[in-house]
């Protein structure tokens, strides 16, 4: 059964540094998503991506965030200048219309 | 303003019992609803979609009440492996809006 994969599983970075989180979605999915979940809190939508462009984004997804799907395979989330409050689990997902398949997540720790 | 609300629990339930969760939503324009299951420090996994006519899959039944704006999940004959956090989500403007989850603990 195909799976969504994410790397790294855990990323530790210093405040102000740039991080890139990587995801390989299931190949036949058309929509891709990034979510975050701060420890002990609810899952929060960040952005959806379709046909090589952002289709929706939340208020969280400000100018510090960007997404790319450079080679038709990898789907990346970049945070330009990390803040302490960016520490969270970041989940990539693919699917459509609410039926989404999540990757195992990347735990981002900003120190 | 909370768009999707759930009782955080935990619900402590003996094995074999039936347990029910409710989830309320505030956006009457929400198109679709879903139940996901999340194990500790793992990713959410889709459990069920919720249709207006109700949806049943084995021991799990999900129902939607649009008039009262809530969805429900019923688990029959609960098993130890059902212990997890159950998240409800509504689809609004192509975004999933999540509840904070209800923690379920099944005790032997």
């Amino acid at each position: 059964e195909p799976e969504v994969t994410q790397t790294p599983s855990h990323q530790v970075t210093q405040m102000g540094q740039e991080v890139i989180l990587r995801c390989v979605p299931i190949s036949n999915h058309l929509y891709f998503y990034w979510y975050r979940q701060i420890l002990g809190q609810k899952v929060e939508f960040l952005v959806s991506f379709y046909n090589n462009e952002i289709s929706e984004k939340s208020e969280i997804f400000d100018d510090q965030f960007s997404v790319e799907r450079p080679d038709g395979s990898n789907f990346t989330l970049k945070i330009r200048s990390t803040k302490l409050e960016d520490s969270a689990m970041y989940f990539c997902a693919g699917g459509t219309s609410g039926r989404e398949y999540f990757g195992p997540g990347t735990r981002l720790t900003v120190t | 303003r909370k768009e999707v609300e759930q009782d955080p629990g935990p619900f402590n339930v003996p094995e074999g019992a039936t347990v029910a969760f409710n989830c309320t939503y505030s956006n009457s324009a929400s198109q679709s609803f879903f139940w996901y299951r999340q194990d500790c420090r793992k990713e959410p996994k889709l459990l069920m979609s919720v249709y207006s006519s109700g949806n049943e899959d084995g021991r799990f039944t999900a129902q939607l009440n649009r008039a009262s704006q809530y969805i429900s999940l019923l688990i029959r004959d609960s098993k130890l492996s059902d212990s997890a956090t159950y998240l409800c989500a509504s689809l609004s403007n192509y975004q999933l809006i999540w509840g904070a989850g209800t923690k379920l603990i099944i005790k032997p």
Side-chain angles (χ1 to χ4, degrees):
Chain A
E1 185 178 312
E3 292 182 337
V4 179
T5 59
Q6 289 187 244
T7 54
S9 57
H10 189 191
Q11 173 87 50
V12 182
T13 189
Q14 288 190 323
M15 196 167 55
Q17 295 297 303
E18 174 183 286
V19 294
I20 297 176
L21 310 182
R22 293 183 167 79
C23 169
V24 180
I26 296 171
S27 59
N28 62 353
H29 284 159
L30 298 179
Y31 282 83
F32 309 104
Y33 309 86
W34 281 102
Y35 292 90
R36 80 172 185 191
Q37 187 175 32
I38 296 169
L39 187 64
Q41 298 188 24
K42 64 172 63 178
V43 176
E44 298 175 291
F45 170 81
L46 293 179
V47 66
S48 60
F49 194 83
Y50 172 74
N51 201 24
N52 281 325
E53 58 183 28
I54 291 173
S55 55
E56 299 287 335
K57 61 182 181 178
S58 71
E59 292 174 355
I60 302 168
F61 194 88
D62 61 20
D63 292 345
Q64 293 300 310
F65 292 86
S66 62
V67 288
E68 270 193 324
R69 195 162 183 247
D71 57 9
S73 173
N74 294 287
F75 179 47
T76 62
L77 174 70
K78 182 193 289 186
I79 309 175
R80 287 190 184 82
S81 177
T82 50
K83 302 188 277 287
L84 293 176
E85 54 265 38
D86 292 328
S87 295
M89 281 290 287
Y90 287 81
F91 294 108
C92 167
T96 189
S97 301
R99 297 176 189 83
E100 298 175 20
Y101 297 87
F102 282 69
T106 293
R107 178 168 298 285
L108 176 64
T109 302
V110 182
T111 61
Chain B
R1 171 170 160 268
K2 295 184 179 179
E3 296 196 38
V4 176
E5 289 195 59
Q6 298 180 250
D7 182 340
F11 284 31
N12 290 284
V13 174
E15 191 177 7
T18 295
V19 60
F21 309 128
N22 277 346
C23 169
T24 59
Y25 62 94
S26 59
N27 185 354
S28 58
S30 295
Q31 302 110 338
S32 310
F33 305 89
F34 305 88
W35 283 103
Y36 280 77
R37 169 196 169 125
Q38 186 174 30
D39 292 286
C40 187
R41 296 182 180 268
K42 299 284 190 181
E43 73 274 22
K45 292 188 176 177
L46 179 63
L47 187 61
M48 297 182 79
S49 305
V50 188
Y51 308 125
S52 56
S53 58
N55 190 16
E56 186 171 323
D57 183 4
R59 298 182 294 109
F60 298 83
T61 300
Q63 292 197 311
L64 166 64
N65 185 318
R66 282 199 184 272
S68 301
Q69 295 188 193
Y70 74 84
I71 63 172
S72 63
L73 178 68
L74 185 79
I75 306 175
R76 289 177 295 277
D77 186 24
S78 53
K79 303 191 184 305
L80 296 177
S81 57
D82 293 333
S83 297
T85 296
Y86 289 82
L87 312 176
C88 70
S90 72
L91 187 65
S92 301
N93 296 324
Y94 307 103
Q95 297 179 26
L96 274 180
I97 308 299
W98 299 80
T102 297
K103 187 169 184 177
L104 174 65
I105 301 170
I106 305 298
K107 295 186 176 298

